[in-house]
Each structure stands twice: as structure tokens, then as C-alpha cells.
Amino acid sequence: MRSTTLEQLSAADAEAILKYLPERIRAALIARAAEIEYPIEIVVSRPIASFLDSEALGFADCKPVRVQQLTVDS
């Protein structure tokens, strides 16, 4: 049994969890991870953490908003 000092989900653990989810949910989590450029283990663990602790960090707390450059036509 492995011992960790941090409560983190590993990539292998996330893949194991994904394996047991319905295909539609699994595909949505994988797509969301790609869309926000986060590791799958973060995307799988955030909803669980939020469910267990309403004050847990969510995606909005972790990733800065990307600002697109606007060009003005002359």
C-alpha cells in the first residue's frame, strides 16, 4: 500500500475511476480536461472535493481567465 502525505488523486487513480463511469460522463470529463488544459486527475477530483467540502477550491479559483486580444478595424 502506498503512503502519501498529500491528499491528491494520481493520474493512475483517475484513470481507474474513469474506467467505472458511464461512457457519457467519462467522455465529458476527458473533454473538459482538454478544454481547460488541466490534468485528468484534477478534473476528476475537483467535483468530489467540492461535494465533500463546500469551501474546496473549484476550477474558477484555480485558473486565471484568458483574455483574448481584440483588434480594432481602422
Side-chain angles (χ1 to χ4, degrees):
M1 179 167 207
R2 82 186 132 140
S3 170
T4 59
T5 55
L6 298 176
E7 294 180 359
Q8 290 180 259
L9 192 64
S10 72
D13 293 338
E15 292 297 331
I17 291 169
L18 287 170
K19 180 172 121 178
Y20 292 101
L21 293 174
E23 178 59 34
R24 182 176 61 92
I25 295 171
R26 180 175 41 252
L29 288 169
I30 292 168
R32 180 69 174 154
E35 177 186 339
I36 63 173
E37 300 173 352
Y38 263 43
I40 192 64
E41 58 270 23
I42 300 292
V43 175
V44 170
S45 67
R46 286 294 163 223
I48 297 167
S50 179
F51 174 77
L52 296 173
D53 179 2
S54 63
E55 295 186 19
L57 291 176
F59 293 114
D61 301 317
C62 298
K63 187 129 178 151
V65 176
R66 292 184 185 164
V67 178
Q68 294 179 355
Q69 289 185 331
L70 300 176
T71 58
V72 178
D73 294 330
S74 44

